[in-house]
Amino acid sequence: MPGGHKTTGKLARQLLFSEALLQTKGAPPQIATQPSTTYHEMANPAQEPSMDRILQEISAVGRRLEGMDNAMASMAAETKSIRTEIASFQTRVLGPEQQVSTVEAHASSFQDRDQELLFLRSKLTDLEDRSRRDNVRFMGFPENIEGEDLHRFLRDTLLRLTNTVPEPPLEFQRAHRLGPRRTGTHARPRPIIACLLHHTQARQLIQKARTQGPCQLDRLTIRMSADFSKETSNRRRAILALRP
C-alpha cells in the first residue's frame, strides 16, 4: 500500500540520521584517547567526514527514498486504474455474450420452426394435389368458344378429340376458365379447368395426353394435362429443364 512505503522510507531516514549522530558526537575526540596520533594525521582534518556532508548525504538518500515512494504510489494508482478498466471491459463483454447466447437460442428455435414449416408445406402441397386429382386442364381453346354451356361444350369436344365414346358418359362436377378475362387481340386464351365426376376418366384423359401429345381440333392445337398445385408445377418444370 502507498502509506506503508512512506512509513518505511521515514524509518530508514531516521536510522541513517541516528547512526550519523552517533559516529560524530557519541565518540570521544581522537586527540584525547589516542595521544600517539601523528602530526601528519592531525594536519589533514579534511579527510574526516564533516557534519554538513553527512547531512547532505542523508538528505540525498531521503530524497531518493521519497522519489521511490512517489514512483511506487504512482504505480499503485496506475495498477488500480488498470484493474478498474479491466472490470469495466468485463462488464461490457458480459452483456454482448448474454445477447449472443439469447440470439443462438432463438436461432435454434427458428431452425426447428423452419423444419416444421417445410413439413407442413409439403403436407399442404400433397393435400392440394390430391384434391385436384380429378381435374383436367385444357389449353388452347379461344375465349368465348364454349358459348353459354361449358359442360356441354367439353363433352362434345372430348368426343371429337378422343374419337371414343366413354362409358359411362362424361360428367363434370364443375368447369371454369382460370383467372380473370384477358383483353387484347393477341392475348393468350385462359385455360379451362374441368373436374370430372369419375376419377378413372380423368386419369384416362391425362394418360392419353401424355402418350399422344397435343390433339388437333380443326385448326386448334389443344393440350391436356393434370391440374397440379403451384409448388408441384414449379418442381416439374425445374426437373424438365434439367433433362437433356
Side-chain angles (χ1 to χ4, degrees):
M1 298 298 290
H5 293 305
K6 292 182 178 179
T7 305
T8 304
K10 293 179 179 179
L11 291 175
R13 289 194 294 271
Q14 291 176 0
L15 290 174
L16 290 173
F17 186 73
S18 300
E19 291 177 358
L21 292 176
L22 290 174
Q23 291 178 2
T24 54
K25 294 182 177 181
Q30 293 183 0
I31 297 175
T33 56
Q34 297 179 0
S36 60
T37 302
T38 62
Y39 174 79
H40 179 74
E41 292 175 350
M42 294 178 64
N44 296 306
Q47 294 180 355
E48 296 295 331
S50 63
M51 177 64 67
D52 294 337
R53 185 177 178 183
I54 292 173
L55 292 177
Q56 291 176 359
E57 291 180 356
I58 292 174
S59 298
V61 172
R63 287 193 297 271
R64 288 196 295 269
L65 291 175
E66 186 176 359
M68 292 175 62
D69 291 340
N70 294 333
M72 294 182 68
S74 177
M75 292 176 61
E78 291 180 359
T79 303
K80 184 178 180 180
S81 176
I82 292 172
R83 289 179 178 177
T84 303
E85 291 180 359
I86 292 175
S88 177
F89 288 146
Q90 289 177 347
T91 304
R92 294 179 183 177
V93 170
L94 184 61
E97 286 182 350
Q98 293 178 350
Q99 294 178 359
V100 169
S101 300
T102 305
V103 170
E104 289 178 349
H106 285 304
S108 178
S109 64
F110 288 151
Q111 291 178 355
D112 296 338
R113 293 179 182 178
D114 289 342
Q115 293 179 356
E116 184 179 0
L117 181 60
L118 289 175
F119 175 75
L120 293 176
R121 181 176 294 177
S122 64
K123 293 290 291 182
L124 180 61
T125 301
D126 181 67
L127 290 174
E128 188 175 358
D129 289 334
R130 287 178 180 274
S131 67
R132 297 184 178 192
R133 62 181 180 176
D134 296 335
N135 292 356
V136 180
R137 181 178 296 212
F138 301 93
M139 292 162 286
F141 288 115
E143 294 282 346
N144 301 322
I145 194 175
E146 66 273 13
E148 296 181 357
D149 192 348
L150 182 57
H151 290 187
R152 182 176 179 178
F153 169 78
L154 288 176
R155 280 194 299 266
D156 297 341
T157 303
L158 289 178
L159 293 176
R160 295 170 59 187
L161 287 174
T162 59
N163 294 321
T164 58
V165 178
E167 185 63 33
L170 292 174
E171 296 184 26
F172 300 95
Q173 297 185 32
R174 57 187 178 274
H176 63 277
R177 291 274 186 176
L178 182 63
R181 182 180 296 274
R182 298 171 181 173
T183 60
T185 306
H186 301 287
R188 294 179 57 185
R190 295 172 295 167
I192 296 175
I193 307 296
C195 178
L196 279 76
L197 182 61
H198 302 288
H199 173 70
T200 55
Q201 293 178 342
R203 295 299 94 193
Q204 290 172 0
L205 290 175
I206 294 172
Q207 186 63 29
K208 182 178 180 63
R210 290 175 179 173
T211 55
Q212 296 184 2
C215 302
Q216 295 296 324
L217 181 65
D218 298 332
R219 296 181 180 180
L220 300 177
T221 301
I222 307 301
R223 293 179 175 84
M224 294 182 294
S225 65
D227 183 32
F228 293 111
S229 63
K230 184 177 180 180
E231 295 287 339
T232 304
S233 298
N234 293 336
R235 186 164 57 249
R236 288 171 62 88
R237 291 194 193 98
I239 293 173
L240 291 175
L242 294 175
R243 291 181 180 178

